Amino acid sequence: MINRKALAVAMAVVGFGAYTVIAQTPAANMSFFVTSSNPKGGNLGGLAGADQVCQALAKTAGAGNKTWRAYLSTSTVDAKSRIGNGPWYNFKGELIAQNVADLHTADKNKISGETALTEKGTLPNYLKMVDGKAAPAAQPLQHDILTGTNEDGTKNADTCNNWTVGDASAKAMLGHADRLGRNPGLNSWNAIHASQGCGQEQLAPTGGAGMLYCFTANSHDAGIRGVAVLCG
């Protein structure tokens, strides 16, 4: 009897463990995430290095079969031109935006403090509304996202010198992933204010950790491939 009980408990633990693994697997159509980390600050090694950060994190999460791009602009490149045509979905398979135009229309994209998930399906330390005021859900606040981009998806002058500087000698335009903060109402997800600098020491005071938005440049095809694999 004891052995049977022990076996039943062991099976339950194994079953729960398997469920946990499945629950942490991204949706087959995941094509957008916020990086769970970026210790490099603004010195990413240019756009190629930033893309590698997205690709590596996606691979670790089980979504490395897609082409991932960092949502960043440089002095010669607009972020909106790097990420394909959409649609894009988050870790849970929730729609973020149907297309480039909707992504850059404040009331049409679905980026928020609930949907801007990391590649692990977790939420960074965002702001949340408490008694009618925006307050950090936890510390340190991590809602500032590096973009170097204007609200319409075009290049901004502040790009950490094309993502090659990681100190106070340059700045980056930032967005608020939770859409809360400095301004009343809906804050911009990609262009809310400039950073104090490009190192982690300069990013942290305003609520940043050097994190990026990552999108798939081939989201539609990748999503279909993922579904096809699951189906057969």
Side-chain angles (χ1 to χ4, degrees):
M1 181 64 70
I2 294 177
N3 289 340
R4 288 181 179 179
K5 286 184 178 180
L7 179 61
V9 170
M11 290 177 67
V13 170
V14 170
F16 180 77
Y19 173 79
T20 301
V21 170
I22 293 171
Q24 293 303 310
T25 300
N29 62 349
M30 182 180 79
S31 41
F32 161 87
F33 64 83
V34 175
T35 58
S36 59
S37 65
N38 170 31
K40 300 179 180 180
N43 187 4
L44 295 159
L47 290 179
D51 290 346
Q52 288 174 8
V53 170
C54 290
Q55 197 72 45
L57 291 174
K59 182 178 180 180
T60 299
N65 62 322
K66 307 173 188 181
T67 301
W68 290 90
R69 301 272 173 78
Y71 182 88
L72 296 173
S73 295
T74 67
S75 59
T76 59
V77 178
D78 295 332
K80 70 178 182 179
S81 71
R82 310 191 68 244
I83 58 173
N85 299 317
W88 300 280
Y89 302 86
N90 70 2
F91 179 94
K92 294 181 179 179
E94 298 169 326
L95 179 68
I96 293 299
Q98 284 284 1
N99 50 53
V100 173
D102 284 359
L103 181 64
H104 296 96
T105 302
D107 60 352
K108 289 187 177 180
N109 77 68
K110 309 300 181 184
I111 295 175
S112 71
E114 287 74 44
T115 63
L117 302 172
T118 71
E119 78 285 353
K120 298 178 180 180
T122 57
L123 281 173
N125 296 337
Y126 291 152
L127 293 175
K128 290 192 174 183
M129 295 304 294
V130 179
D131 296 329
K133 296 181 179 180
Q139 294 289 354
L141 182 61
Q142 300 170 323
H143 74 160
D144 283 352
I145 310 296
L146 298 171
T147 69
T149 303
N150 298 316
E151 285 195 78
D152 64 358
T154 59
K155 64 186 75 67
N156 185 274
D158 292 323
T159 64
C160 292
N161 193 17
N162 295 329
W163 314 110
T164 61
V165 170
D167 57 31
S169 64
K171 297 181 180 180
M173 178 54 66
L174 307 169
H176 282 179
D178 50 24
R179 312 294 293 278
L180 299 172
R182 296 196 169 202
N183 301 330
L186 204 60
N187 281 228
S188 175
W189 67 275
N190 64 342
I192 190 66
H193 64 85
S195 66
Q196 296 180 6
C198 293
Q200 294 291 12
E201 298 82 2
Q202 294 83 42
L203 295 169
T206 59
M211 294 188 293
L212 313 172
Y213 294 118
C214 299
F215 289 81
T216 55
N218 55 342
S219 57
H220 180 67
D221 291 342
I224 290 174
R225 286 198 300 271
V227 172
V229 170
L230 290 176
C231 291

